[in-house]
């Protein structure tokens, strides 16, 4: 089914990345980087089903050649920490055909990026494992109408309160600041692009007769009490298709079980809340424990014990009265408060489970990439697949460590074990509450049945008295 995935990241020389290497890998081509002389050969890479380059009207025609385009990018960017390209990774709707998905990506890229002055390199990947996706590499500099690269940023003079330039005597120049030449790096643009991808996907799904829809917002922003699953990725998705269980697949299955419990809990809470509203509308609530006990006692003294047992057997009656007495419930208002406290505890568990599940998912990924990294680190000869896994793990850990060198795998595993135990405790408490809520709901039904029957008999007695 259609899923939403739209990630945006920067390919930066400062992080050891190369625009030429990234383009060669995504297109499955062999390209030499003129900047450092290194040749990147990914011609044996599988799953690349479509590539194309889209250019603004005023961009040089030669940029239609992938090698020319990205070597020009490497050439124009002089800084050792320069941002070389922006990459957008898109999950394509599985409901659409390959041609329909290519048309979808092309329309999206033209409208939101090429029209703004960016060169776009599109590569569609599909290994047949049910995870078609597209990589879109975008240039970071705008193109001038002259066909030349524009500046990423420009300098503006800092003015005083009277609008005059401020002179810096130490630097012997007027004070100035750098201002971005475009708004492409604004956080608002990322949100705009993500929302636009969901919108155009839904349009194409509708146009091609599919009922599925996607949403770029998180479950929390949509107001959905549900824990999101983790993205499987190409390798894990293919393994799951072949019936091989993966850690990410197991995590998603655990999340689905938890979500099912949350949905059941929400339905039960809604049912109880509706009942509470009905009971709260009653302006003259009876004294529950004493009133019900007096009804059953009167029936027994009148020789109608069989009647009371058929209405509510003695064992359950005792359980009901014990519940009301142990919780010191004297009236319907007290019963309402008891239900509210039970509901509050259930919602509290729900609130605690969400961050625990999210952190567990993050830790699993940290540990997984750490294990891969140490598995291949120092190994003299790596296969291409092993090198890809090692490089991906190394780059992931660099981003996670944020400059730190020691990888705290042990601490991650200890935290994972601690959170797993915490999740188990929360789930156990949830199951106990589930039983208590079910029992409380049955008590409510029984109380209602007894009171309703008493009201009918009272009405019958009044009718008989009037006939006499």
């Amino acid at each position: 089914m259609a899923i939403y995935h739209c990630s945006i990241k920067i390919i930066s020389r400062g992080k050891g990345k190369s625009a030429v290497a990234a383009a060669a890998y995504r297109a499955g081509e062999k390209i030499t980087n003129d900047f450092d002389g290194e040749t990147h050969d990914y011609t044996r890479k599988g799953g690349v089903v479509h590539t194309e380059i889209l250019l603004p009207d005023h961009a040089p025609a030669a940029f239609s050649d992938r090698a020319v385009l990205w070597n020009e990018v490497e050439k124009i960017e002089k800084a050792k920490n320069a941002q070389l390209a922006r990459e957008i990774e898109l999950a394509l709707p599985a409901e659409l055909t390959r041609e329909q998905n290519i048309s979808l990506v092309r329309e999206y890229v033209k409208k939101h990026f090429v029209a703004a002055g960016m060169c776009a390199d599109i590569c569609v990947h599909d290994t047949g494992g049910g995870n078609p996706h597209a990589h879109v590499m975008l240039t970071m500099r705008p193109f001038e109408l002259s066909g030349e690269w524009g500046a990423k940023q420009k300098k503006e003079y800092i003015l005083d309160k009277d609008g005059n330039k401020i002179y810096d005597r130490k630097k012997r120049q007027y004070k100035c600041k750098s201002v971005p030449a475009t708004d492409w790096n604004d956080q608002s643009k990322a949100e705009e692009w993500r929302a636009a991808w969901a919108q155009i996907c839904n349009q194409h799904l509708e146009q091609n007769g599919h009922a599925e829809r996607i949403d770029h917002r998180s479950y929390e922003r949509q107001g959905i009490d549900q824990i999101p699953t983790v993205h499987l990725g190409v390798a894990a998705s293919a393994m799951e298709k072949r019936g091989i269980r993966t850690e990410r697949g197991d995590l998603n299955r655990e999340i689905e079980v938890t979500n099912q419990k949350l949905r059941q809990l929400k339905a039960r809470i809604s049912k109880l809340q509706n009942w509470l509203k009905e009971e709260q509308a009653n302006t003259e609530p009876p004294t529950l424990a004493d009133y019900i006990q007096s009804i059953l006692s009167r029936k027994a003294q009148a020789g109608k014990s069989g009647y009371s047992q058929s209405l509510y057997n003695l064992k359950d009656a005792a359980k009901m009265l014990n519940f009301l007495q142990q919780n010191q419930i004297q009236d319907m208002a007290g019963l309402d408060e008891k239900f509210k406290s039970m509901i509050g505890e259930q919602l509290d568990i729900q609130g605690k489970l969400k961050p625990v599940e999210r952190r567990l998912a993050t830790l699993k990924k940290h540990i997984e990439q750490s294990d891969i990294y140490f598995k291949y680190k120092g190994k003299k000869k790596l296969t291409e697949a092993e090198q890809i896994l090692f490089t991906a793990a190394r780059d992931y850990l660099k981003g996670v460590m944020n400059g730190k060198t020691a990888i705290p795998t042990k601490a991650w595993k200890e935290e994972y074990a601690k959170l797993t135990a915490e999740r188990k405790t929360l789930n156990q408490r949830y199951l106990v509450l589930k039983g208590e809520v079910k029992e409380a709901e049955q008590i409510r039904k029984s109380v209602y049945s007894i009171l309703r029957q008493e009201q009918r008999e009272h009405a019958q007695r009044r009718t008989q008295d009037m006939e006499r």
Side-chain angles (χ1 to χ4, degrees):
M1 61 177 292
I3 61 171
Y4 182 86
H5 176 71
C6 176
S7 66
I8 304 173
K9 63 182 180 181
I10 300 297
I11 297 173
S12 170
R13 189 179 288 154
K15 293 183 179 180
K17 303 293 184 179
S18 159
V20 170
Y25 177 74
R26 284 148 184 77
E29 295 183 1
K30 180 180 179 180
I31 306 178
T32 298
N33 189 345
D34 297 338
F35 181 79
D36 57 17
E38 186 175 352
T39 297
H40 304 277
D41 187 354
Y42 294 103
T43 51
R44 290 183 295 176
K45 175 178 173 59
V48 182
V49 297
H50 177 79
T51 66
E52 67 176 293
I53 291 178
L54 301 176
L55 302 174
D57 293 337
H58 45 281
F63 284 7
S64 295
D65 185 315
R66 183 169 286 105
V68 173
L69 171 62
W70 295 113
N71 268 304
E72 284 296 318
V73 168
E74 297 276 2
K75 181 180 178 181
I76 195 66
E77 301 298 348
K78 309 296 184 183
K80 63 181 180 180
N81 62 343
Q83 293 184 343
L84 303 172
R86 177 179 286 104
E87 182 185 25
I88 299 184
E89 185 179 281
L90 306 166
L92 303 177
E95 290 80 3
L96 301 181
T97 66
R98 180 172 296 168
E99 291 71 21
Q100 289 170 342
N101 272 324
I102 291 172
S103 176
L104 163 64
V105 175
R106 185 182 294 125
E107 180 182 342
Y108 171 67
V109 172
K110 281 184 177 180
K111 180 177 180 181
H112 295 281
F113 306 109
V114 178
M118 305 180 208
C119 298
D121 187 350
I122 300 173
C123 296
V124 177
H125 294 179
D126 188 356
T127 61
N131 184 31
H133 58 281
H135 296 269
V136 182
M137 286 180 59
L138 304 166
T139 51
M140 302 291 289
R141 289 176 180 267
F143 264 101
E144 305 294 350
L145 293 176
S146 62
E148 298 178 346
W149 293 107
K152 286 183 178 177
Q153 57 188 17
K154 57 184 179 180
K155 291 185 177 180
E156 286 186 357
Y157 288 109
I158 299 175
L159 306 178
D160 60 21
K161 61 180 181 179
D162 298 321
N164 300 316
K165 293 187 292 186
I166 303 173
Y167 188 73
D168 189 332
R169 297 184 180 278
K170 290 185 178 180
K171 296 182 178 180
R172 296 183 180 180
Q173 62 183 18
Y174 288 103
K175 293 183 178 181
C176 58
K177 60 181 178 181
S178 296
V179 179
T182 68
D183 61 354
W184 299 347
N185 283 335
D186 289 353
Q187 186 63 37
S188 60
K189 294 301 292 185
E191 178 70 10
E192 176 186 321
W193 293 335
R194 286 172 54 80
W197 175 245
Q199 182 180 22
I200 197 169
C201 278
N202 290 335
Q203 288 174 354
H204 279 245
L205 286 167
E206 183 178 5
Q207 290 169 5
N208 290 282
H210 299 287
E212 290 78 5
R213 298 292 183 268
I214 61 176
D215 197 313
H216 72 288
R217 298 171 300 169
S218 66
Y219 285 144
E220 183 176 357
R221 288 174 62 190
Q222 294 178 58
I224 299 175
D225 290 328
Q226 186 166 314
I227 302 170
T229 55
V230 298
H231 184 60
L232 283 180
V234 179
S237 179
M239 292 173 69
E240 290 285 339
K241 286 282 186 180
R242 297 197 302 269
I244 303 173
R245 295 175 68 96
T246 63
E247 287 190 9
R248 292 186 180 184
D250 288 340
L251 176 60
N252 280 344
R253 281 183 279 273
E254 290 179 15
I255 290 174
E256 181 53 38
V257 170
T258 302
N259 282 335
Q260 185 177 2
K261 291 178 180 178
L262 290 175
R263 287 191 291 270
Q264 292 172 349
L265 175 61
K266 186 176 180 181
R268 187 172 295 277
I269 289 173
S270 177
K271 187 176 181 181
L272 289 172
Q273 287 174 332
N274 289 335
W275 173 73
L276 287 175
K277 289 179 182 178
E278 293 175 5
E279 294 297 342
Q280 287 169 349
N282 185 359
T283 57
E284 297 181 0
T287 303
L288 292 182
D290 294 340
Y291 188 33
I292 292 172
Q293 190 169 13
S294 67
I295 293 173
L296 297 178
S297 298
R298 189 174 66 251
K299 297 297 182 184
Q301 292 174 0
K304 296 182 179 181
S305 57
Y307 163 82
S308 59
Q309 288 181 34
S310 65
L311 179 64
Y312 197 57
N313 66 61
L314 294 177
K315 180 180 179 181
D316 289 340
K319 184 186 295 185
M320 176 186 65
L321 294 173
N322 285 336
F323 176 86
L324 298 175
Q325 292 168 352
Q326 288 174 1
N327 290 284
Q328 299 180 343
I329 298 173
Q330 299 298 319
D331 51 25
M332 290 302 298
L335 185 57
D336 290 351
E337 288 301 319
K338 177 59 181 176
F339 274 122
K340 286 179 181 179
S341 67
M342 295 171 71
I343 292 169
E345 187 172 356
Q346 288 176 319
L347 292 174
D348 184 58
I349 291 176
Q350 176 184 334
K352 290 179 179 178
L353 273 172
K354 285 185 179 180
V356 170
E357 294 288 0
R358 286 196 294 268
R359 182 57 180 165
L360 281 173
T362 300
L363 288 171
K364 269 203 170 184
K365 189 171 183 181
H366 289 357
I367 295 168
E368 178 188 51
Q369 295 301 311
S370 174
D371 290 343
I372 292 173
Y373 174 80
F374 286 113
K375 179 179 179 180
Y376 296 121
K377 181 183 178 184
K379 189 175 179 180
K380 293 184 178 180
K381 292 184 179 180
L382 296 177
T383 65
E384 183 178 1
E386 290 173 340
Q387 183 63 51
I388 291 171
L389 288 172
F390 174 75
T391 302
R394 182 192 62 197
D395 293 343
Y396 173 86
L397 291 171
K398 277 185 179 180
V400 170
M401 298 307 298
N402 195 23
K404 297 179 182 178
T405 55
I407 300 174
T409 307
K410 181 179 178 182
W412 287 340
K413 290 183 177 180
E414 289 175 351
E415 184 182 357
Y416 186 86
K418 180 181 178 182
L419 289 178
T420 301
E422 182 179 344
R423 179 178 61 184
K424 181 179 179 181
T425 301
L426 289 172
N427 280 326
Q428 287 174 341
R429 179 55 188 154
Y430 168 82
L431 292 175
V432 171
L433 276 174
K434 181 179 180 181
E436 292 176 353
V437 169
K438 183 177 181 181
E439 183 177 286
E441 186 178 31
Q442 183 58 50
I443 288 173
R444 178 260 170 184
K445 290 180 179 178
S446 300
V447 169
Y448 179 75
S449 296
I450 292 173
L451 296 179
R452 184 173 54 186
Q453 184 62 34
E454 180 68 10
Q455 289 173 354
R456 282 201 296 263
E457 290 188 359
H458 180 69
Q460 290 174 359
R461 287 196 298 269
R462 289 189 60 185
T463 302
Q464 292 172 357
D465 291 340
M466 290 177 66
E467 290 177 350
R468 291 180 185 147

